[in-house]
Amino acid sequence: MDLQVIHDLGYRAELLGALALWLVILLRLPTARRSHQQKMLLMAVIGMAGSITVYLDPVSAALNHTFTFAQSCGLFMNAWGVLSSALILDFVLAAMARRRPWLIYGPMIVTIAALIVLDYTIDPHAGCVNAEAVPWYSPFWWLLVSAHLVGTVPCAVLCVRYGRQARDDRPLRTGLLLLAAGFLSSSVFWCVVLAFLLTRPAWLGELFPDNIGLTAWLMTTGVGLPLALTAHRTVRDAQAMWRLYPLWHDLVETVPHIALDKPRSRIRQVLGSPHTIHLRLYRQVIEIRDALLILQDYVTPETMEHARRHVTTQDLPQEHVEAAVTAGWLHAALQAKAAASAPRPNPLATAHPSEDCLHSEATFLLAVLRARTLPAVRSFAAQPTAHSAQTNRSDQQVPTISHDLPDSHD
């Protein structure tokens, strides 16, 4: 492949990666402000994003055109790179509970001042990485490269360390390892700069944009992973809420007092922020569960057992049996409630699965909703015995009460 093609591909990856990185940083700002550690990490990423951005051709051209300070062939970019390294190192020390701002930003100021002095005393073009730059033994290069590696290498090690500790939290582990790869890629870039200064092969210089682009996309993926997970959870919550709406609506109409708020339309129910949608799904599941707990008092244990015997005789997969049983006795309970039958405490608690998890309960309730249309449940609902137990219980209450009344007067 031609070197120019490789350079052009790298430049596109660099440009798009920088834009994507700034986008995810803006999206992460609201949540990062609530956590000091996340805020410090985001500041380190902002420093890295700025370091990448100032190397983009349109940005560097604008800086050269606007600031006299930037005319010194990238000195502004290198000064920003030292600042970004300080932000990264600040995050590392803060994560280790050894944050000393004066120990970081003091040497940063000294380093930037030294770069400016070296740039104007050694060579006016001492900020460029090209074949016409100053020799490799110039202190300018070693000071600049060391300033970057002092920030990126410890940060990569720290992210790997905490990523390996987060074994039970796979998303957190993946995000930290991606960030570690991004900081490592930045460290490799400056090692490649040293190699270029020592050997000056033309093909190595063409790889700079590819390396910067890879760094940008690794950082973007690591920072954007929580956003992707939140988006996935929000879509899943909205889908579950949309699909549960018919069951929830039927139960709210039957037992209106279970609804905390005035019922919304189906479309309005799934609109809102991720936190709002998650909270609405939680509330919807709780309200459905409460309705089931109330309605199970409108059927007898015998009706529930009859529903279980009927369902188990049908050709249903084992994982669908419990949902079908619940759908069967729920139909009988709704019929009894509509007939104004008197509720009685039911010792059988089959209203929801044993897993204490929102999505496991939502999955079970969706299975109940689907089971209401199964032939096994329809055939049970069509049987007169499905409702006779409740009727018989109501009938049996009369002689018992009339028999007790004379005794109470005695």
Side-chain angles (χ1 to χ4, degrees):
M1 184 179 292
D2 186 75
L3 289 177
Q4 185 60 38
V5 176
I6 296 176
H7 182 276
D8 292 342
L9 290 175
Y11 176 74
R12 293 191 187 96
E14 180 184 5
L15 178 61
L16 295 176
L19 293 174
L21 182 55
W22 281 113
L23 177 61
V24 297
I25 287 173
L26 291 175
L27 293 176
R28 283 293 305 275
L29 278 176
T31 56
R33 288 183 300 179
R34 304 169 190 163
S35 170
H36 179 69
Q37 289 186 341
Q38 289 190 22
K39 183 168 62 176
M40 293 295 296
L41 176 59
L42 199 62
M43 287 298 295
V45 175
I46 288 173
M48 180 66 72
S51 183
I52 293 172
T53 303
V54 294
Y55 279 94
L56 298 175
D57 289 346
V59 178
S60 60
L63 291 173
N64 290 335
H65 180 72
T66 306
F67 300 104
T68 304
F69 178 65
Q71 292 288 344
S72 186
C73 197
L75 187 58
F76 180 90
M77 294 181 280
N78 292 325
W80 178 273
V82 176
L83 171 62
S84 69
S85 181
L87 293 173
I88 295 169
L89 188 59
D90 193 13
F91 160 71
V92 173
L93 295 181
M96 298 174 64
R98 299 176 181 176
R99 186 171 183 248
R100 300 292 187 272
W102 61 269
L103 190 61
I104 299 172
Y105 296 103
M108 177 204 73
I109 295 174
V110 173
T111 302
I112 294 176
L115 290 176
I116 295 174
V117 171
L118 289 170
D119 179 72
Y120 282 102
T121 58
I122 298 176
D123 194 307
H125 298 287
C128 293
V129 181
N130 54 48
E132 289 78 25
V134 296
W136 62 270
Y137 51 80
S138 170
F140 183 95
W141 296 116
W142 294 96
L143 185 61
L144 178 63
V145 173
S146 299
H148 279 277
L149 294 180
V150 163
T152 55
V153 172
C155 197
V157 173
L158 183 70
C159 289
V160 170
R161 175 186 174 186
Y162 284 111
R164 293 181 63 183
Q165 292 179 358
R167 295 181 178 179
D168 297 334
D169 193 338
R170 184 175 295 180
L172 176 61
R173 181 183 183 185
T174 303
L176 287 172
L177 292 180
L178 285 169
L179 289 174
F183 288 116
L184 181 62
S185 177
S186 179
S187 303
V188 170
F189 171 79
W190 291 104
C191 293
V192 172
V193 169
L194 281 180
F196 177 81
L197 292 171
L198 291 171
T199 60
R200 299 182 184 270
W203 62 269
L204 195 58
E206 299 297 333
L207 296 179
F208 288 154
D210 299 88
N211 197 323
I212 297 175
L214 176 63
T215 302
W217 280 109
L218 286 172
M219 301 297 293
T220 299
T221 308
V223 177
L225 183 61
L227 296 173
L229 294 176
T230 300
H232 176 264
R233 190 192 72 175
T234 303
V235 170
R236 184 175 61 173
D237 290 349
Q239 288 179 340
M241 195 159 43
W242 178 270
R243 294 164 62 190
L244 278 174
Y245 186 86
L247 176 62
W248 174 80
H249 187 265
D250 289 347
L251 296 180
V252 167
E253 283 192 337
T254 305
V255 193
H257 64 273
I258 65 170
L260 183 62
D261 296 329
K262 183 179 179 181
R264 298 180 177 86
S265 65
R266 194 174 187 179
I267 294 179
R268 289 185 59 192
Q269 192 79 353
V270 297
L271 297 178
S273 66
H275 177 72
T276 300
I277 292 176
H278 185 74
L279 185 62
R280 285 177 186 167
L281 175 63
Y282 178 80
R283 184 180 298 171
Q284 187 181 62
V285 168
I286 292 297
E287 290 174 354
I288 294 175
R289 188 176 67 179
D290 289 345
L292 293 178
L293 289 172
I294 293 172
L295 290 173
Q296 73 177 4
D297 289 342
Y298 285 85
V299 293
T300 62
E302 292 78 14
T303 301
M304 288 186 170
E305 291 298 332
H306 176 60
R308 183 173 297 278
R309 288 195 302 270
H310 179 82
V311 168
T312 53
T313 59
Q314 307 298 315
D315 188 18
L316 284 178
Q318 185 62 33
E319 61 271 16
H320 296 163
V321 170
E322 195 63 37
V325 172
T326 302
W329 69 253
L330 176 60
H331 179 85
L334 291 172
Q335 293 291 330
K337 182 71 166 60
S341 300
R344 299 277 292 180
N346 191 328
L348 296 182
T350 59
H352 58 89
S354 59
E355 296 90 351
D356 188 16
C357 174
L358 174 62
H359 285 285
S360 67
E361 292 202 26
T363 300
F364 175 76
L365 295 176
L366 286 171
V368 172
L369 178 63
R370 291 190 296 268
R372 297 175 75 182
T373 61
L374 292 176
V377 177
R378 288 181 177 273
S379 61
F380 170 78
Q383 294 179 5
T385 55
H387 318 292
S388 60
Q390 178 69 32
T391 305
N392 292 338
R393 186 174 65 179
S394 301
D395 294 341
Q396 291 171 1
Q397 294 171 1
V398 176
T400 302
I401 295 175
S402 62
H403 175 73
D404 290 339
L405 282 176
D407 294 339
S408 62
H409 288 291
D410 293 341

